[in-house]
Amino acid sequence: MALICGAALSGCVASTESGNTAEAGRRPAAAPPSPSPSPSPTPAWNTRPASIAAVGDSITRGFDACGVLTDCPELSWATGSDTRVNSLALRLLGAPALASRSWNLARSGARVAELPGQMAQAAELKPGLVTVMVGANDACRASVGLMTPVTDFRTSFKSAMARLRRSAPTTQVYVASVPDLRRLWSAGRDHPVGRQVWKLGVCASMLADADDLGAVAEQRRAAVRQRVVAYNEVLRDVCARDERCRYDGGAVFDHRFSVEQLSPWDVFHPSQDGQGRLAEIAYRTVTAARPPA
């Protein structure tokens, strides 16, 4: 007979566990431990979503692609109806479905702080896919000091994803990287229209004094480019934490826009041709068997 003494008790109680094999043999065997729950499988990516909502800024609105200082949503890379662009929605849904199953909720001039509101609108529609292209206006400011801080950019993008997930937990998300603004400056700085229009304040943090190759101007452009790189890192990291989100792997940032792919009215926003290239990148990412590395 053994004694069991509990630390929280003032005395001891007798036990017959030891020294009595007959009693021990009559005790039921301990139940085997329950198996650990299997992790939830990663949901399969649908390469043919049935509806698309687009959020973001002027690039998704097709700004300056068909006329000066005007939105041209029919030329949008995401939801446009023009067959020359062959938008993502046109490729995935077909022309008859565009009016009823695609929505362009982007706004020219929008910065990332506006994205949570746009995402809330998109969530109400319960689309199969939401496309996101935002960040250029956060870097394109009157001066480098006015660019959106990276921490604020992250907070807004995380909030936007959370707003979507509250109402549309299964909607897929395609996130395009922010274009390389310095490369756009390099492509258009010798264009006679660009040199004149940029003086009006188009993306001044990058495009101001386009002919100035001095150290101060180059440092300013490098700072803007680095901020864009940081924004893209945020887009990549936040997207990677959502199992239904795909980032383009930096494909838009890496794309080398030619002058022909830029608007003839501002030599900065994508032209009809440029919109088509963005559509190709999006389609390739959305329909791939696996996301970009």
Side-chain angles (χ1 to χ4, degrees):
M1 180 178 292
L3 295 178
I4 301 176
C5 300
L9 302 176
S10 58
C12 302
V13 296
S15 171
T16 59
E17 291 183 6
S18 61
N20 191 335
T21 57
E23 287 295 324
R26 287 195 293 268
R27 292 197 308 272
S34 300
S36 301
S38 299
S40 300
T42 300
W45 178 268
N46 181 5
T47 60
R48 306 295 300 188
S51 55
I52 297 175
V55 298
D57 55 29
S58 56
I59 297 178
T60 299
R61 291 296 299 172
F63 183 81
D64 266 8
C66 66
V68 62
L69 299 179
T70 185
D71 285 350
C72 307
E74 68 276 11
L75 296 179
S76 168
W77 66 270
T79 59
S81 58
D82 195 306
T83 56
R84 294 171 297 176
V85 170
N86 201 11
S87 72
L88 178 64
L90 193 58
R91 297 174 193 227
L92 293 176
L93 309 179
L98 288 185
S100 60
R101 290 194 277 127
S102 69
W103 307 274
N104 194 320
L105 307 175
R107 187 187 70 81
S108 292
R111 299 200 291 272
V112 72
E114 190 175 313
L115 200 62
Q118 292 185 10
M119 277 291 207
Q121 289 180 288
E124 293 177 359
L125 299 167
K126 300 293 191 297
L129 177 73
V130 171
T131 68
V132 179
M133 183 176 285
V134 73
N137 290 321
D138 293 273
C140 281
R141 305 304 304 278
S143 67
V144 169
L146 293 176
M147 294 189 297
T148 301
V150 178
T151 53
D152 292 351
F153 191 92
R154 181 180 295 273
T155 296
S156 292
F157 186 51
K158 288 178 66 176
S159 176
M161 292 296 293
R163 292 285 291 274
L164 177 70
R165 288 290 168 244
R166 281 201 290 270
S167 300
T170 62
T171 292
Q172 296 179 165
V173 183
Y174 163 73
V175 178
S177 50
V178 184
D180 186 343
L181 302 180
R182 193 181 192 283
R183 187 170 287 158
L184 296 180
W185 163 78
S186 180
R189 70 186 187 90
D190 292 328
H191 194 284
V193 172
R195 296 170 67 175
Q196 293 302 313
V197 173
W198 292 358
K199 293 178 181 179
L200 302 177
V202 178
C203 194
S205 55
M206 175 60 74
L207 304 182
D209 303 317
D211 293 330
D212 188 351
L213 301 180
V216 173
E218 288 290 70
Q219 288 171 4
R220 167 173 55 82
R221 297 183 191 111
V224 176
R225 187 179 190 275
Q226 186 54 47
R227 185 62 56 90
V228 169
V229 169
Y231 292 162
N232 284 333
E233 289 173 351
V234 169
L235 296 174
R236 179 199 64 200
D237 293 347
V238 174
C239 185
R241 289 172 170 78
D242 188 299
E243 58 191 6
R244 298 180 189 274
C245 184
R246 278 191 180 184
Y247 174 63
D248 73 1
V252 171
F253 178 82
D254 291 338
H255 181 70
R256 294 181 176 275
F257 286 92
S258 66
V259 172
E260 292 73 26
Q261 293 167 14
L262 299 177
S263 166
W265 292 280
D266 65 22
V267 198
F268 182 69
H269 287 88
S271 64
Q272 169 199 302
D273 188 5
Q275 290 283 342
R277 303 307 172 97
L278 295 176
E280 289 174 6
I281 292 171
Y283 182 75
R284 185 168 63 244
T285 304
V286 171
T287 60
R290 297 180 180 178

